Amino acid sequence: MANKFHKFTRRKFIGGTFGLTLLGAFKSHPFARERRPNILFIMSDDHANHALSCYGSRIVETPNIDRLAREGMLFRNCFVTNSLCAPSRASILTGKYAHVHGVKDNSTRFDPTQHTFIKLLHRAGYVTAVIGKWHLHSEPTGFDYWCVLPGQGEYVNPTFIEMKKRSKVEGYATDIITKMCISWLRQWSENMGDKPFCLLCHHKAPHRPWTPPQRHMKLYADIEIPEPPTFDDDYSNRASAAAHADMRIADMPDYAKELKPEMTPKERKRYNYQRFIKDYLRCVVAVDEGVGELLRELEQLGVIDDTVIIYTSDNGFFLGDHGWYDKRFMYEQSIRVPLIVRYPREVKAGSTDEHIVLNVDFAPTLLDIAGVEIPGDVQGRSLKSILFGKPVNDWRTAMYYRYYEYPKPHRVLPHYGVRTERYKLIHYPTTGEWELFDLHQDQHEMRNIYGEPTYSGVAMELKELLHRLAGELGDTL
Ligand SMILES: [Ca+2]
């Protein structure tokens, strides 16, 4: 098996010996195609940055994902453009915003005839597969192999749809998805190792109902997890949307049967938080273990350094922040996602990046790294220069966000807005309200300064920016 992975060494030798004169001829040689890196794209569901030790969590330990950061690049400002599962997944596949790919909420079916980076990689000779959560209603297209959970899927003994065929698989979803990915990688190595692969490993965890694996049920049992600083937010000094939303830890139905009648509302809220956050973090630990297993497998197959490995999530999550669970709002914990990329041939180990990068950038980045032309209608931008340490000119200094799903399931009013490095402007068209936050002064977004005379100039500039960005992206406000 080792022989087929010695090609890199051989190619290096050829390039080094004959130099640039042969480079033209070399490019059209079949070897050139084999030089393209493999892609392992690992995405969890609802994994917030502040539940990763490499992003500063002081509770959960994620040593395997941390290893990716230590050996690759960690993006400090990666955001989603609509903080919800299906819209974000469609944006990741297409490189487009929700008003263009059409999946504005979780119930809309993804039109599978659209271009995705997967289809383009497949056409360019990549072996493609997706294993795990899909959540786009239509069947996966552009994949040589797919095995996905129907809808949200289940944690324990889940049903999978493998190339249209349904069957129940014994075990815990995160572990099963990891094992299936390992098995697929072995098959690729044995049968198709001359072609590069692109494998999407999509975990269900740590999505609700946050069911941990049996082996971690007792993790954190003896400790109390500290509540976040905004845990007792009363939603004053904000637009009415915050108080209107129905996703408070205090009212979560998940543990209602465990609450005792004599508990005060405050005690109930505290109880719910401890139950929720411990289970959530236990799920995260299993995801991290799965990442470790995948890394070990790539090492054993001898291709770990020939593979671009990405870790991310489809959206962030409120972990008791503002007294909430779930996501949706354009507030920081909801729109921030982890993005870590390991590819030691080009990406500097232990590097970090501060640019505003988005989920719509993933598709053009992967196409670019694979040497595949990025279609003109893709709205995101390739991160290849940032990743490969090349000069980056005129990068975006603001992001555009839009959320649609209402009223169910959490009564978060539709809204849109812009975020710059310092400010965030949000508009709720239903109520006509605006929110403006100065993130330098108010990192927890507790004080809406819209309407304050000192910030009237800033508000006006941001409104112009909002309309300009919407126009450039073809959206109508
Ligand atoms: Ca999600």
Side-chain angles (χ1 to χ4, degrees):
M1 187 191 294
N3 278 343
K4 79 173 73 152
F5 298 113
H6 285 162
K7 287 168 190 159
F8 267 94
T9 321
R10 229 161 80 204
R11 282 197 301 274
K12 266 190 183 162
F13 175 74
I14 292 168
T17 309
F18 298 101
L20 289 173
T21 47
L22 275 181
L23 208 60
F26 176 68
K27 269 186 179 168
S28 61
H29 192 276
F31 277 174
R33 276 200 305 190
E34 291 159 15
R35 278 189 87 116
R36 295 173 303 178
N38 306 308
I39 296 164
L40 173 60
F41 182 85
I42 308 169
M43 181 161 71
S44 48
D45 194 337
D46 292 2
H47 192 179
N49 282 19
H50 48 324
L52 280 156
S53 34
C54 53
Y55 277 94
S57 169
R58 281 166 296 171
I59 312 291
V60 71
E61 284 172 26
T62 49
N64 296 294
I65 301 171
D66 294 359
R67 176 189 165 188
L68 287 179
R70 208 168 50 244
E71 297 175 359
M73 183 178 283
L74 177 145
F75 288 81
R76 294 209 180 280
N77 293 307
C78 182
F79 302 99
V80 292
T81 49
N82 179 354
S83 180
L84 198 58
C85 304
S88 178
R89 284 156 194 269
S91 285
I92 287 167
L93 285 172
T94 59
K96 295 171 187 173
Y97 288 74
H99 63 277
V100 176
H101 63 57
V103 182
K104 293 178 175 177
D105 53 39
N106 272 343
S107 55
T108 305
R109 176 180 177 269
F110 178 68
D111 171 6
T113 63
Q114 299 188 58
H115 271 312
T116 62
F117 78 89
I118 287 295
K119 284 187 190 173
L120 296 170
L121 288 180
H122 188 256
R123 194 184 294 168
Y126 270 72
V127 187
T128 53
V130 59
I131 294 169
K133 186 164 174 182
W134 180 246
H135 201 244
L136 286 171
H137 303 293
S138 52
E139 279 181 356
T141 50
F143 294 96
D144 291 292
Y145 175 79
W146 54 273
C147 183
V148 298
L149 296 161
Q152 292 283 5
E154 293 156 325
Y155 271 107
V156 180
N157 302 333
T159 295
F160 279 86
I161 312 173
E162 183 189 27
M163 310 288 281
K164 294 181 188 289
K165 206 175 139 232
R166 278 178 184 252
S167 60
K168 216 173 182 52
V169 182
E170 296 274 308
Y172 179 69
T174 305
D175 301 341
I176 296 168
I177 291 166
T178 300
K179 282 199 186 84
M180 284 179 171
C181 286
I182 287 173
S183 158
W184 186 87
L185 284 168
R186 285 179 187 164
Q187 283 181 42
W188 164 80
S189 172
E190 280 166 25
N191 305 316
M192 296 163 284
D194 56 332
K195 285 180 163 190
F197 72 78
C198 175
L199 169 62
L200 312 185
C201 167
H202 286 188
H203 285 296
K204 171 187 172 57
H207 193 280
R208 202 179 187 182
W210 315 293
T211 310
Q214 280 297 328
R215 65 182 178 280
H216 293 317
M217 286 292 188
K218 298 229 165 99
L219 189 64
Y220 313 118
D222 302 331
I223 62 162
E224 192 171 346
I225 311 261
E227 290 152 4
T230 58
F231 188 63
D232 289 319
D233 191 352
D234 63 1
Y235 315 113
S236 57
N237 308 314
R238 247 65 48 79
S240 60
H244 182 73
D246 174 20
M247 47 196 233
R248 297 185 191 182
I249 296 272
D251 305 327
M252 65 198 305
D254 305 64
Y255 314 113
K257 283 183 187 159
E258 301 170 23
L259 298 173
K260 297 188 182 82
E262 65 271 22
M263 289 167 109
T264 65
K266 202 167 192 172
E267 285 168 341
R268 287 167 179 239
K269 183 178 176 185
R270 295 235 151 98
Y271 180 87
N272 284 343
Y273 175 68
Q274 294 299 321
R275 278 290 275 116
F276 150 69
I277 192 68
K278 287 178 183 177
D279 274 355
Y280 179 96
L281 296 179
R282 289 162 182 153
C283 291
V284 167
V285 168
V287 168
D288 183 71
E289 289 164 346
V291 171
E293 283 182 43
L294 284 173
L295 296 184
R296 279 189 288 282
E297 184 62 27
L298 290 177
E299 275 170 334
Q300 275 167 21
L301 294 175
V303 295
I304 189 163
D305 291 346
D306 303 337
T307 304
V308 177
I309 306 169
I310 294 132
Y311 185 80
T312 191
S313 172
D314 62 346
N315 50 258
F317 214 72
F318 296 108
L319 302 176
D321 312 279
H322 300 285
W324 286 329
Y325 60 100
D326 218 74
K327 54 264 180 178
R328 300 163 194 271
F329 273 105
M330 197 189 162
Y331 300 142
E332 291 294 282
Q333 295 84 1
S334 161
I335 62 172
R336 282 185 176 275
V337 287
L339 177 64
I340 305 166
V341 182
R342 183 194 187 276
Y343 183 48
R345 294 194 188 283
E346 301 285 356
V347 178
K348 195 176 165 210
S351 52
T352 56
D353 184 78
E354 307 278 337
H355 290 95
I356 294 176
V357 306
L358 306 172
N359 57 349
V360 289
D361 297 333
F362 298 179
T365 302
L366 295 176
L367 291 172
D368 202 10
I369 289 176
V372 178
E373 195 181 336
I374 302 163
D377 61 350
V378 165
Q379 297 179 300
R381 193 169 158 182
S382 169
L383 304 173
K384 186 176 158 189
S385 296
I386 295 177
L387 282 166
F388 288 16
K390 302 278 176 355
V392 180
N393 299 317
D394 64 2
W395 193 260
R396 71 169 72 84
T397 53
M399 68 163 286
Y400 176 71
Y401 181 87
R402 188 159 190 179
Y403 169 81
Y404 303 83
E405 188 169 277
Y406 187 81
K408 285 186 176 176
H410 290 291
R411 285 204 318 190
V412 174
L413 286 172
H415 57 283
Y416 48 77
V418 283
R419 185 198 188 283
T420 64
E421 185 267 326
R422 177 164 182 182
Y423 294 107
K424 188 183 289 180
L425 180 77
I426 308 174
H427 182 55
Y428 301 89
T430 325
T431 60
E433 290 168 292
W434 293 86
E435 279 178 334
L436 173 62
F437 298 103
D438 181 343
L439 301 169
H440 284 191
Q441 306 285 332
D442 175 26
Q443 59 162 318
H444 297 307
E445 299 166 292
M446 296 289 278
R447 187 171 146 241
N448 177 16
I449 50 172
Y450 185 84
E452 289 189 12
T454 329
Y455 290 96
S456 60
V458 172
M460 201 181 294
E461 278 173 31
L462 289 170
K463 276 188 190 175
E464 282 171 18
L465 179 64
L466 172 65
H467 284 274
R468 182 162 61 76
L469 285 182
E472 282 171 10
L473 296 167
D475 200 7
T476 312
L477 297 179

